[in-house]
Coordinates of all heavy atoms in Angstrom, one line a residue:
M894 N 0.8 -1.2 0.1 CA 0.0 0.0 0.0 C 0.9 1.3 -0.1 O 0.8 2.1 -0.8 CB -0.8 0.0 1.2 CG -1.7 1.2 1.5 SD -2.7 1.3 2.9 CE -1.4 1.3 4.2
F895 N 1.8 1.3 1.0 CA 2.7 2.5 1.0 C 3.5 2.7 -0.4 O 3.7 3.8 -0.9 CB 3.7 2.4 2.2 CG 3.1 2.5 3.5 CD1 3.6 1.7 4.5 CD2 2.1 3.4 3.7 CE1 2.9 1.8 5.7 CE2 1.6 3.5 4.9 CZ 1.9 2.6 6.0
S896 N 3.9 1.6 -1.1 CA 4.7 1.6 -2.2 C 3.7 2.2 -3.3 O 4.2 3.0 -4.2 CB 5.1 0.2 -2.7 OG 5.7 0.2 -3.9
E897 N 2.5 1.8 -3.4 CA 1.5 2.2 -4.3 C 1.3 3.8 -4.0 O 1.1 4.6 -5.1 CB 0.2 1.6 -4.3 CG 0.5 0.0 -4.8 CD -0.8 -0.8 -4.7 OE1 -1.9 -0.2 -4.2 OE2 -0.7 -1.9 -5.1
L898 N 1.2 4.1 -2.9 CA 0.9 5.5 -2.6 C 2.1 6.5 -3.0 O 1.8 7.5 -3.6 CB 0.8 5.7 -1.0 CG 0.8 7.2 -0.5 CD1 -0.4 8.1 -1.1 CD2 0.9 7.4 0.9
F899 N 3.4 6.1 -2.7 CA 4.4 7.0 -3.2 C 4.7 7.0 -4.7 O 5.2 7.9 -5.1 CB 5.6 6.6 -2.3 CG 5.7 7.2 -1.0 CD1 5.1 6.5 0.1 CD2 6.1 8.5 -0.7 CE1 5.1 7.1 1.4 CE2 5.9 9.1 0.5 CZ 5.5 8.5 1.6
T900 N 4.4 5.8 -5.2 CA 4.4 5.8 -6.7 C 3.4 6.7 -7.3 O 3.9 7.5 -8.2 CB 4.1 4.4 -7.2 OG1 5.0 3.3 -6.8 CG2 4.1 4.3 -8.8
A901 N 2.3 6.8 -6.7 CA 1.3 7.8 -7.3 C 1.6 9.2 -7.0 O 1.5 10.1 -7.8 CB -0.1 7.4 -6.6
A902 N 2.3 9.5 -5.8 CA 2.6 10.8 -5.4 C 3.7 11.4 -6.2 O 3.9 12.7 -6.0 CB 2.8 10.7 -3.8
T903 N 4.6 10.5 -6.7 CA 5.7 11.0 -7.3 C 5.7 10.7 -8.9 O 6.6 11.2 -9.6 CB 7.1 10.3 -6.8 OG1 6.8 8.9 -7.1 CG2 7.3 10.6 -5.3
A904 N 4.5 10.4 -9.3 CA 4.4 9.9 -10.8 C 4.1 11.2 -11.6 O 4.4 11.3 -12.8 CB 3.3 9.0 -11.0
I905 N 3.6 12.4 -11.0 CA 3.2 13.6 -11.8 C 4.0 14.7 -11.1 O 4.3 14.8 -9.9 CB 1.8 13.8 -11.6 CG1 0.9 12.5 -12.2 CG2 1.3 15.1 -12.1 CD1 -0.5 12.7 -12.2
D906 N 4.5 15.6 -12.0 CA 5.3 16.7 -11.5 C 4.5 17.7 -10.7 O 3.3 17.7 -10.6 CB 5.8 17.5 -12.8 CG 6.9 16.7 -13.6 OD1 7.5 15.7 -13.0 OD2 7.1 16.9 -14.8
A907 N 5.2 18.4 -9.9 CA 4.6 19.4 -8.8 C 3.9 20.3 -9.9 O 4.3 20.7 -11.0 CB 5.7 20.1 -8.1
P908 N 2.9 21.1 -9.5 CA 2.4 20.9 -8.0 C 1.5 19.7 -7.7 O 0.9 19.6 -6.5 CB 1.5 22.3 -7.8 CG 1.0 22.4 -9.2 CD 2.0 21.9 -10.1
R909 N 1.2 18.9 -8.6 CA 0.3 17.8 -8.4 C 1.1 16.5 -7.9 O 0.5 15.4 -7.6 CB -0.4 17.4 -9.7 CG -1.4 18.4 -10.2 CD -1.7 18.1 -11.7 NE -2.5 16.9 -11.8 CZ -2.6 16.2 -13.0 NH1 -1.9 16.8 -14.2 NH2 -3.1 15.0 -13.0
G910 N 2.4 16.6 -7.6 CA 3.1 15.5 -7.1 C 4.2 16.0 -6.3 O 4.7 17.3 -6.3
I911 N 5.0 15.2 -5.5 CA 6.1 15.7 -4.8 C 7.3 15.9 -5.7 O 7.4 15.0 -6.6 CB 6.5 14.6 -3.8 CG1 5.4 14.2 -2.9 CG2 7.8 15.0 -3.0 CD1 5.5 13.1 -1.9
A912 N 7.9 17.0 -5.7 CA 9.0 17.3 -6.5 C 10.3 16.7 -6.2 O 10.6 16.5 -5.0 CB 9.1 18.9 -6.6
K913 N 11.1 16.5 -7.2 CA 12.5 15.9 -7.0 C 13.4 16.9 -6.3 O 13.3 18.1 -6.8 CB 13.1 15.5 -8.4 CG 14.6 15.0 -8.4 CD 15.0 14.5 -9.6 CE 16.5 14.0 -9.5 NZ 17.0 13.4 -10.7
N914 N 14.2 16.6 -5.5 CA 15.2 17.6 -4.8 C 16.3 16.8 -4.1 O 16.0 16.1 -3.1 CB 14.5 18.6 -3.9 CG 15.5 19.5 -3.3 OD1 16.5 19.7 -3.8 ND2 15.2 20.2 -2.2
P915 N 17.5 16.6 -4.7 CA 18.5 15.9 -4.1 C 18.8 16.3 -2.6 O 19.5 15.6 -1.8 CB 19.7 16.0 -4.9 CG 19.1 16.4 -6.3 CD 17.9 17.2 -5.9
Q916 N 18.5 17.7 -2.3 CA 18.8 18.1 -0.8 C 17.7 17.7 0.2 O 18.0 17.9 1.4 CB 18.8 19.7 -0.9 CG 19.9 20.2 -1.6 CD 20.0 21.7 -1.6 OE1 19.3 22.5 -2.3 NE2 20.7 22.3 -0.6
S917 N 16.6 17.1 -0.3 CA 15.5 16.8 0.5 C 15.6 15.4 1.1 O 15.9 14.5 0.4 CB 14.2 17.1 -0.1 OG 14.0 18.3 -0.5
R918 N 15.3 15.2 2.3 CA 14.9 14.1 3.0 C 13.7 14.3 4.0 O 13.4 15.4 4.3 CB 16.0 13.5 3.8 CG 17.3 13.4 3.3 CD 17.3 12.1 2.3 NE 18.6 11.9 1.7 CZ 19.1 12.3 0.7 NH1 18.4 13.3 0.0 NH2 20.3 12.0 0.1
A919 N 12.7 13.3 3.9 CA 11.6 13.7 4.8 C 11.1 12.5 5.6 O 11.3 11.3 5.3 CB 10.5 14.0 3.9
L920 N 10.6 12.9 6.8 CA 10.0 11.8 7.7 C 8.6 12.1 8.0 O 8.1 13.1 8.3 CB 10.8 12.0 9.0 CG 10.4 10.8 10.1 CD1 11.1 9.5 9.6 CD2 11.1 11.3 11.5
Y921 N 7.7 10.9 7.6 CA 6.4 11.1 7.8 C 5.8 10.0 8.8 O 6.5 8.9 9.0 CB 5.6 10.9 6.5 CG 6.1 11.8 5.4 CD1 6.8 11.2 4.3 CD2 5.9 13.2 5.4 CE1 7.3 12.0 3.3 CE2 6.4 14.0 4.3 CZ 7.1 13.4 3.3 OH 7.5 14.2 2.2
A922 N 4.6 10.1 9.3 CA 4.0 9.0 10.0 C 2.8 8.8 9.4 O 2.0 9.7 9.0 CB 3.8 9.5 11.5
A923 N 2.5 7.4 9.0 CA 1.2 7.0 8.4 C 0.4 6.3 9.4 O 0.8 5.4 10.0 CB 1.6 6.1 7.2
D924 N -0.8 6.7 9.5 CA -1.8 6.1 10.4 C -2.7 5.1 9.6 O -3.3 5.6 8.6 CB -2.6 7.1 11.2 CG -1.8 7.9 12.2 OD1 -0.9 7.3 12.6 OD2 -2.2 9.1 12.6
I925 N -2.9 3.9 10.0 CA -3.7 2.9 9.2 C -4.5 2.2 10.0 O -4.3 1.9 11.4 CB -2.8 1.9 8.3 CG1 -2.1 1.0 9.2 CG2 -1.7 2.7 7.5 CD1 -1.6 -0.2 8.7
M926 N -5.5 1.6 9.6 CA -6.4 0.6 10.3 C -6.4 -0.7 9.4 O -6.1 -0.7 8.2 CB -7.8 1.1 10.5 CG -7.8 2.2 11.7 SD -9.5 2.6 12.1 CE -10.2 1.1 12.7
L927 N -7.0 -1.7 9.9 CA -7.1 -3.0 9.3 C -8.7 -3.2 9.2 O -9.3 -3.1 10.2 CB -6.4 -4.1 10.0 CG -4.9 -3.9 10.2 CD1 -4.2 -5.1 10.9 CD2 -4.2 -3.8 8.7
S928 N -9.1 -3.7 8.1 CA -10.5 -3.9 7.9 C -10.7 -5.3 7.2 O -9.9 -5.8 6.5 CB -11.1 -2.8 7.0 OG -12.5 -3.2 6.7
W929 N -11.8 -6.0 7.5 CA -12.1 -7.2 6.8 C -12.7 -6.9 5.4 O -13.4 -6.0 5.3 CB -13.2 -8.0 7.6 CG -12.7 -8.4 8.9 CD1 -13.0 -7.9 10.1 CD2 -11.8 -9.4 9.2 NE1 -12.4 -8.6 11.1 CE2 -11.6 -9.5 10.6 CE3 -11.0 -10.3 8.3 CZ2 -10.6 -10.5 11.2 CZ3 -10.0 -11.2 8.9 CH2 -9.9 -11.3 10.3
H930 N -12.2 -7.5 4.4 CA -12.5 -7.3 3.0 C -12.9 -8.6 2.3 O -12.2 -9.5 2.3 CB -11.4 -6.6 2.3 CG -11.6 -6.4 0.8 ND1 -12.4 -5.4 0.4 CD2 -11.1 -7.0 -0.3 CE1 -12.4 -5.4 -1.0 NE2 -11.6 -6.3 -1.3
K931 N -14.1 -8.6 1.7 CA -14.4 -9.8 1.1 C -14.0 -9.7 -0.3 O -14.4 -8.8 -1.2 CB -16.0 -9.9 1.1 CG -16.6 -10.4 2.6 CD -17.9 -10.6 2.5 CE -18.4 -11.0 4.0 NZ -18.1 -10.1 5.0
S932 N -13.2 -10.6 -0.8 CA -12.8 -10.7 -2.2 C -13.0 -12.1 -2.9 O -12.6 -13.1 -2.4 CB -11.2 -10.5 -2.2 OG -10.7 -10.5 -3.5
R933 N -14.0 -12.0 -3.8 CA -14.4 -13.2 -4.3 C -15.0 -14.2 -3.2 O -16.0 -13.9 -2.6 CB -13.3 -13.9 -5.2 CG -12.9 -13.0 -6.4 CD -11.8 -13.8 -7.2 NE -11.4 -12.9 -8.4 CZ -10.4 -11.9 -8.3 NH1 -9.8 -11.7 -7.2 NH2 -10.3 -11.1 -9.3
N934 N -14.3 -15.3 -3.0 CA -14.8 -16.3 -2.1 C -14.1 -16.4 -0.9 O -14.3 -17.2 0.0 CB -14.7 -17.8 -2.7 CG -15.8 -17.8 -3.9 OD1 -16.8 -17.2 -3.9 ND2 -15.3 -18.5 -5.0

């Protein structure tokens, strides 16, 4: 899930996506929950 999120967030140039910057490093916290999901059977 995190991989898909950051792929989506960096796939499009700024301002619609996170911009490239070799000087940048960032720390985030992601809050998640777990849910029951019915997939086929």
Side-chain angles (χ1 to χ4, degrees):
M894 171 185 70
F895 290 143
S896 176
E897 290 175 1
L898 169 65
F899 280 93
T900 297
T903 57
I905 299 179
D906 290 339
R909 294 167 59 202
I911 304 173
K913 178 176 182 176
N914 184 18
Q916 291 184 277
S917 292
R918 302 289 187 272
L920 187 72
Y921 310 110
D924 292 337
I925 72 163
M926 286 184 65
L927 303 175
S928 176
W929 296 109
H930 176 74
K931 291 181 175 58
S932 178
R933 298 182 178 87
N934 296 321

